[in-house]
Amino acid sequence: MWKMLHRRMKRIGIGPTPSTRGAGGRNTGGMTKPFPSLAAAGVPADLTERRTGAAVLRILLETLAMVGAATLAGLVIAPRWGTLAVDMLYLPPVLAAATLFGLRPALLAAVASALAYNFFFTEPIHTFRISRPDDLLTVAILFLVGVVTSQLAARMRAQARAASDHAARNATIAGFARQLLSSSSEEDIGRVATRELAALFQCNAVLVAGTGTPQILAMAPRTSQLTPSDLAAAAFVLESGEPAGRGAARIDPADWLFLPVKSASLVLAAVGLARDDGALPVAPGQEALLANLTDQIALALERARLEAETRGLAGLRERDRLRGALLSSVGHDLRTPLTAIIASASELRPEAPGDRALVQTIAAEASKLERYISNLLDMARVEAGAVRLKVEAVDLVDAVSAALRDLHHLLDGHAVEVALPADLPLVRADPSLLHHCLINLLDNAGRHSGAGAPIRISGRTDGGGVALAIEDSGRGLPDGATPFEAFERIEGSDQTGGAGLGLAIVKAFAEAMGVEPTAGQGASGGAAFTLHFPAALMIEPADSADAG
C-alpha cells in the first residue's frame, strides 16, 4: 500500500522528481530545460485538474481500496489483540485520501471507515446495528476524528499547493525577466517575450508598438497573421491603455487578446495572444501571471529606451566637448591676427579718398569678424558654465555710450536716437557682460534696419525697476518667434546674415546678472529688445553717494 501511495504522490508532483524533457521543454546549451506547465506557472488546481468521470471513479475506487486494506488488517489483528487498536488503522486511509485527492475523497474515507468498523468489529457483527454504548461512542469518535483529520489534511494540502503555485509563479516570472535581461533593443526584447509567452501559454503571441498604425516588433510563430480588426484593437490598446479583443471586457471582433505594456504614465507597447482553435488564450486564473509578465516586458522596454537615451546623451556630451574645444582653439588662434589687422587699419593714413574708404571697410569687416569670434567664445563660456560675475555700480548712460563708440563703423548712416533720462538710477551689473549685451543688441538692430533707418535707445523706470530698450526699424518679429535661442534665425526678420548667437548670448549674460531680457514689437513696427533690471539691482541716490 505504501509503495502505491509513493507512486501516486510522484505521479501528481509531490516530492522530488527528475527533470526530463516534457511538453514545451527545450534544449539550451546541451542541457534539458523543461518549460513550466500551466499548473506550475500558478494556475489553481481546480482549473488544471479537470477530472473526467473515469478519473473520479478511479479516485473513489482507490479511496475505498485503502479503507478495505485497513479493514483486512483489522480482521487479521482483531482475533489476536482485540478491536481496541483496530480503529487507529482507519486514520492512514483518511490522511492519504486527503493528501492525495482532496477533501471530498477524505470525507468518503471517513464515512467508509466508520461503516466498516461498525460492520466488522462491533456487536452484532456483520450488521450496522450497535448494541453497546461504548461501541456507539467508538464509531462516533472514529467518524469525527476522520472528518477533522480529513479537514486538516486537506487544508494543509491546499496551503502546500498554494505555496507551490506561488513559488512556481515567482520562478516563472524570474526566469522570464532573466531572459529579457540579455536583450538590449526593442526588437530583441520583442523576440524573447513573444517566444516565451507563446511557449508558456501554448498560443500565438505578438508584440506591437507605435502610434497610429501599430508596428509589429516581433511575432511567434512568425507565420501568424493579424487581421484589420486585430490591428484596430491593438491601436485602441496603444492609445487608451485598456485591454481589447477576444476575452476582454470591451466587445471587439478581433481574434487576438491585446493587453497594454505600460510604465507609470506611458503605454510602451501592446502584447497580443491568440489560439489557433479560437479558444480564449488566457485561462481563468492566469490573468495575474500574465499581468506580471507584461510588467516585466515594460521594465525591459523602459530599460532599453533609457540605455539608448544614455548612449545618445553620451554622444552629445562628447560632441559638445569637442565643439567647445574647437571653438576655443579657433577663437584664440584667430583673435590675435584679427587684433593686429584692426590695429594696423587704425594706424593707416591713406591719401586718396578711395584708399580711405578701403581702409574703413577693412577695419569695419575685421571688427565684425572679431565680434563673431567673440560671440563664439562667449557661447562656449556660457555652455561650459564659466561665466563669472564682477558686479559693480553701472551708469546705463555711460554703458550705452561705450557700446555706441565701439560700433560707430557699423552704425554709420543710421540715425541713432538716445532717449535716456538724466535721473536714470544706477544699477548693479557686470560692466563687461552688460557691454557684450548692448553690443549684440545694437549690432542686431543695425543689421535689421535699412540703410539710414533710425535706431532708438530708450530707458525708463518700470514697476520699481529700470528698463533699457533698443528698437530697430526692421520688419519686426513674426508670431511665435524665439529670438533668444542659439543659432535661431527668425524668418522674415533675420535675413541679413549672422550666426544666430548674439541674442542667445544676450539672454545668457543678462540672466547671469539677474536681468530679464524680453522681445516684442516696437512702436514704429520694428523689433524691440528690452533689458529689465529689477528693483533689487537698482541703486538709490543715497546708495550712489555712498558708492562714490
Side-chain angles (χ1 to χ4, degrees), residues 321-335 373 376-377 380-381:
R321 187 187 66 82
L322 293 176
R323 184 183 67 177
L326 178 62
L327 290 178
S328 178
S329 176
V330 170
H332 286 92
D333 290 342
L334 292 180
R335 175 165 286 183
I373 294 175
L376 289 174
L377 294 176
R381 290 171 56 199

Side-chain angles (χ1 to χ4, degrees), residues 253-295:
D255 294 328
W256 290 68
L257 169 65
F258 287 95
L259 300 173
V261 178
K262 54 186 177 181
S263 60
S265 59
L266 182 66
V267 179
L268 304 176
V271 167
L273 300 176
R275 295 182 63 88
D276 293 333
D277 58 5
L280 293 178
V282 181
Q286 283 206 283
E287 294 85 356
L289 173 64
L290 183 57
N292 289 329
L293 297 180
T294 55
D295 289 342

Side-chain angles (χ1 to χ4, degrees), residues 246-488:
R246 179 178 291 275
R250 171 184 168 84
I251 300 176
D252 199 288
D255 294 328
W256 290 68
L257 169 65
F258 287 95
L259 300 173
V261 178
K262 54 186 177 181
S263 60
S265 59
L266 182 66
V267 179
L268 304 176
V271 167
L273 300 176
R275 295 182 63 88
D276 293 333
D277 58 5
L280 293 178
V282 181
Q286 283 206 283
E287 294 85 356
L289 173 64
L290 183 57
N292 289 329
L293 297 180
T294 55
D295 289 342
Q296 296 300 321
I297 299 175
L299 290 175
L301 292 175
E302 192 74 12
R303 171 181 53 80
R305 294 189 179 187
L306 290 177
E307 288 178 354
E309 292 178 2
T310 301
R311 289 192 294 268
L313 290 176
L316 287 177
R317 284 196 295 268
E318 181 64 19
R319 288 196 294 271
D320 286 343
R321 187 187 66 82
L322 293 176
R323 184 183 67 177
L326 178 62
L327 290 178
S328 178
S329 176
V330 170
H332 286 92
D333 290 342
L334 292 180
R335 175 165 286 183
T336 300
L338 280 175
T339 303
I341 293 173
I342 295 172
S344 300
S346 63
E347 294 296 328
L348 289 176
R349 296 292 183 268
E351 299 296 336
D355 294 341
R356 185 178 301 109
L358 181 60
V359 170
Q360 290 177 350
T361 301
I362 292 173
E365 294 302 321
S367 298
K368 182 185 298 184
L369 184 57
E370 196 275 336
R371 285 195 302 275
Y372 289 159
I373 294 175
S374 178
N375 282 340
L376 289 174
L377 294 176
D378 290 339
M379 181 55 66
R381 290 171 56 199
V382 169
E383 292 183 349
V387 178
R388 299 292 182 266
L389 295 179
K390 296 180 180 179
V391 179
E392 57 185 69
V394 176
D395 188 340
L396 293 179
V397 176
D398 294 341
V400 170
S401 300
L404 290 174
R405 183 172 59 252
D406 289 347
L407 290 178
H408 67 279
H409 292 297
L410 177 66
L411 299 179
D412 278 348
H414 292 281
V416 181
E417 178 185 353
V418 180
L420 297 176
D423 59 347
L424 199 64
L426 302 180
V427 296
R428 294 183 177 89
D430 185 310
S432 176
L433 298 186
L434 180 59
H435 185 72
H436 277 283
C437 291
L438 295 176
I439 287 288
N440 282 297
L441 289 177
L442 289 172
D443 175 68
N444 182 76
R447 285 188 291 107
H448 296 122
S449 298
I455 297 174
R456 176 179 172 81
I457 304 174
S458 61
R460 67 186 187 279
T461 56
D462 182 14
V466 176
L468 179 65
I470 298 177
E471 180 181 347
D472 61 43
S473 300
R475 287 173 287 181
L477 298 174
D479 295 338
T482 56
F484 290 112
E485 296 297 326
F487 301 102
E488 181 77 16

